[in-house]
Amino acid sequence: MIDFEVFRPALAKELNRQAPDERFSWGGGVGMSKQAVSREADDIPALNCELALPLVLDLDGTLVTTDTLHEALLLLFKRDWSKAWRVRFWTLKGRAVVEQKLAEVVTEEDINRFPINLALQEFAEREAGLGREIVLATAADRAIAEKIQKRFSFISKVISSDGRANMRGRAKAEELRRLYPNGFIYAGDSYPDIHVWRHSLGAVFAGASPRLFLRVREVADIMASFPRRALGLDGLRRGLRLHQWAKNALIFVPLILGGKAMDLIAWIHALEAFLALSLLASATYLLNDLWDLHEDRQHWSKKHRPIASGELPIALSVGLIVACCIAALGLALGAGAGCVGMLALYLALSLSYSFRLKREPIIDVFLLATLFTMRLAIGVVVTEVAFSPWLIVFSMFIFLSLSLAKRQTEITRMAAHGQEAAPGRGYKASDAPFVLATGVATMMAAVLIMVIYLIEDAFPKGFYKHPDFLWGFAVIIFLWLARVWLLCHRGQLRDDPVAFALKDRLSLCYAAAMGAIFIAAVL
């Protein structure tokens, strides 16, 4: 079934804002206009025009929901970064040359994994089945266009850039007018396509902008519409993984346990460090998604991530990475030089994980536990509380257990999908018993170290008026970790354990109970 709900509210709002005297509604899959006729969302529309008129499809952002030039540039950096310096010299010779050089990096396997506009594909296949000529007209280089033609058998002809001419905007419009003097129907998604639509006999809209839809309607008759999901706040939230910011609350733990809960300056520095680390972590998540784009598109769930699906453009992702890093540096400077140094170390470890070490079994989960523990270390540095070795060791073991739970979940799902090994990972389906045993062992070690921390560190400090209440911490930690591993063993843990905890009612109750125990111990 084709999902047109992603575009309906914004488009209807924009139309009604510009024409309040006329009410508009979405017309299923056939576009939106005052004459639109409502259809079932899963109907595939047909063009109401002569079959002699060809249907011309744009590529980037239209048939595929990504930009093939940016995809090729990313592949160049990943596969042969030593040649990346040549790009700046290619640009001096023109965009068509850049596209031709970068197209050499893109394989048919890459092309076959590009995310596509399924609704438009079905529409084009139906038109081809009725006897209409389907033409691909793209600014991408011919090498890429021909690989696209192999992927989609309904494409009978290709018009593309060739290293000399860049087939975009006006150039594409003139070429189509020359080849099809009797007219053509054009499917596009961006403002440069307006030049083509202006000379077409009909438009098929495949963009994500309601305002562009209105602009197209001024220059052409919109015969069908297959909008992409527009990048909204939800897409940005998922791309930046804002829910993962909850992990960074660990920065405040040393502040509270170290007896500085009433120190305003310490709270300000901790908040600056929290925001700085959160922004830096979001930048590393985006970078990781870019680097793993090929592997994510082969994954049953990761292929729906904003970058992998084409919802979050590659160019915008790079811009967000730069902006997050700059903002993180500014906040870290406010928290002190120690915070800057710790964030630099965090970034180095995170990049090591993303580019190489996550493919090494056991090392990957150990590094994840280290990155979690660094949050506590950052809290110690910025608030200047006394360092607690037992707390750091406890953190390593509890997050090692949770990281193993995440891997166990992935291995279980991998086996359920009939895969022996996960792309870009070092684990095999047969590793499940070992990972399960190691995870449960580290869980018990974490509980034991919590008990030692209470006896050797928390009780002697004299910070707590009623320290006996703290024994409840060990009990709750055991109950929660045991619940995580039980669900993991049953194959019912579908999320990252931290993400799971934020949505699980019992986990939230455990967290509330620990908060109550801490207050009782202090007061």
Side-chain angles (χ1 to χ4, degrees):
M1 181 177 290
I2 303 170
D3 181 11
F4 294 101
E5 296 296 326
V6 299
F7 200 59
R8 181 193 302 178
L11 187 50
K13 180 179 179 181
E14 184 68 22
L15 285 168
N16 288 319
R17 182 184 68 80
Q18 296 199 15
D21 56 323
E22 299 170 342
R23 305 307 296 175
F24 296 86
S25 61
W26 182 254
V30 295
M32 188 170 186
S33 68
K34 288 181 285 186
Q35 291 81 26
V37 179
S38 198
R39 297 191 184 189
E40 291 296 327
D42 58 349
D43 283 348
I44 302 175
L47 288 175
N48 186 22
C49 62
E50 296 180 6
L51 287 174
L53 293 175
L55 171 61
V56 182
L57 306 177
D58 182 34
L59 178 61
D60 297 336
T62 302
L63 182 57
V64 299
T65 59
T66 185
D67 188 306
T68 56
L69 178 63
H70 296 156
E71 294 273 351
L73 184 60
L74 184 62
L75 289 170
L76 177 66
F77 274 97
K78 185 172 182 179
R79 294 174 180 170
D80 197 359
W81 61 269
S82 62
K83 294 182 179 179
W85 62 272
R86 300 180 183 178
V87 175
R88 63 187 301 178
F89 297 103
W90 296 340
T91 58
L92 299 177
K93 299 179 181 180
R95 185 183 177 98
V97 173
V98 175
E99 290 170 340
Q100 184 181 52
K101 295 292 185 180
L102 290 177
E104 298 173 1
V105 186
V106 184
T107 66
E108 287 189 18
E109 183 182 10
D110 299 322
I111 293 289
N112 290 336
R113 290 197 170 93
F114 284 169
I116 62 175
N117 187 330
L118 289 173
L120 181 61
Q121 178 195 7
E122 293 178 1
F123 170 72
E125 285 178 335
R126 173 166 176 166
E127 290 298 314
L130 294 174
R132 191 181 303 279
E133 180 185 13
I134 308 298
V135 180
L136 178 68
T138 173
D141 187 73
R142 177 163 291 274
I144 288 181
E146 290 176 348
K147 291 183 178 75
I148 289 288
Q149 186 179 21
K150 289 182 180 179
R151 177 178 178 180
F152 301 102
S153 59
F154 56 81
I155 297 175
S156 57
K157 186 174 183 179
V158 165
I159 301 169
S160 64
S161 300
D162 57 4
R164 297 184 299 275
N166 182 31
M167 202 58 58
R168 187 170 185 260
R170 288 189 175 89
K172 183 189 292 188
E174 291 301 320
E175 182 67 10
L176 289 173
R177 288 180 67 190
R178 184 184 68 82
L179 292 172
Y180 302 105
N182 294 327
F184 57 89
I185 309 299
Y186 182 71
D189 72 292
S190 62
Y191 280 94
D193 291 324
I194 291 178
H195 297 293
V196 187
W197 275 315
R198 185 174 285 116
H199 298 290
S200 70
L201 294 181
V204 175
F205 185 76
S209 168
R211 294 194 177 187
L212 176 60
F213 182 94
L214 296 176
R215 183 73 180 88
V216 175
R217 200 176 62 162
E218 294 175 359
V219 301
D221 177 24
I222 297 181
M223 307 180 73
S225 188
F226 304 93
R228 301 194 323 273
R229 181 181 295 277
L231 177 65
L233 294 178
D234 181 64
L236 282 174
R237 176 189 62 80
R238 289 182 288 112
L240 295 170
R241 301 191 202 178
L242 296 187
H243 65 280
Q244 300 285 10
W245 286 25
K247 300 175 180 178
N248 301 327
L250 290 169
I251 288 175
F252 298 102
V253 172
L255 171 69
I256 297 171
L257 297 182
K260 285 196 173 185
M262 304 305 293
D263 188 331
L264 179 59
I265 299 301
W267 275 104
I268 292 175
H269 288 330
L271 181 59
E272 289 173 333
F274 169 81
L275 293 174
L277 180 59
S278 297
L279 289 168
L280 184 63
S282 288
T284 61
Y285 290 140
L286 288 171
L287 185 59
N288 181 73
D289 287 350
L290 286 173
W291 196 254
D292 285 349
L293 199 54
H294 181 78
E295 291 81 4
D296 285 352
R297 285 173 177 164
Q298 302 175 60
H299 196 273
W300 54 86
S301 62
K302 293 180 181 179
K303 65 183 179 181
H304 300 300
R305 286 178 174 176
I307 298 179
S309 66
E311 182 181 357
L312 179 58
I314 291 175
L316 179 56
S317 301
V318 174
L320 287 172
I321 290 171
V322 174
C324 286
C325 288
I326 293 174
L329 176 60
L331 288 164
L333 288 171
C339 183
V340 175
M342 293 297 291
L343 288 187
L345 178 59
Y346 177 92
L347 179 60
L349 292 175
S350 184
L351 293 180
S352 298
Y353 173 81
S354 295
F355 294 151
R356 182 67 182 90
L357 295 181
K358 68 181 177 183
R359 294 168 176 80
E360 299 296 330
I362 306 304
I363 294 177
D364 65 331
V365 291
F366 182 84
L367 188 53
L368 283 177
T370 301
L371 291 172
F372 271 105
T373 302
M374 281 198 67
R375 292 164 166 85
L376 288 174
I378 292 171
V380 170
V381 169
V382 299
T383 58
E384 299 180 344
V385 300
F387 173 74
S388 172
W390 284 114
L391 182 61
I392 298 299
V393 175
F394 165 74
S395 174
M396 281 296 298
F397 274 91
I398 189 172
F399 288 116
L400 182 57
S401 182
L402 292 175
S403 298
L404 286 164
K406 182 178 181 180
R407 289 293 175 265
Q408 178 71 5
T409 299
E410 293 174 353
I411 292 172
T412 302
R413 297 184 69 182
M414 179 175 66
H417 283 79
Q419 297 183 359
E420 174 57 28
R425 299 290 184 183
Y427 294 92
K428 299 179 180 179
S430 57
D431 294 332
F434 170 78
V435 175
L436 176 64
T438 307
V440 173
T442 53
M443 174 196 81
M444 296 306 300
V447 176
L448 177 60
I449 294 169
M450 166 55 68
V451 172
I452 297 174
Y453 164 71
L454 293 175
I455 296 173
E456 298 292 332
D457 203 332
F459 290 169
K461 281 186 176 180
F463 172 68
Y464 302 96
K465 292 183 179 180
H466 306 286
D468 289 342
F469 282 107
L470 296 178
W471 289 114
F473 278 13
V475 175
I476 292 176
I477 288 171
F478 169 76
L479 292 174
W480 182 68
L481 287 176
R483 171 174 167 77
V484 167
W485 277 105
L486 179 64
L487 294 177
C488 186
H489 176 64
R490 292 176 175 176
Q492 297 176 356
L493 188 67
R494 296 295 180 183
D495 299 311
D496 174 282
V498 176
F500 159 77
L502 295 176
K503 297 180 289 185
D504 179 57
R505 291 184 179 180
L506 186 55
S507 298
L508 294 175
C509 288
Y510 282 150
M514 290 185 72
I517 288 171
F518 177 78
I519 294 173
V522 172
L523 300 180

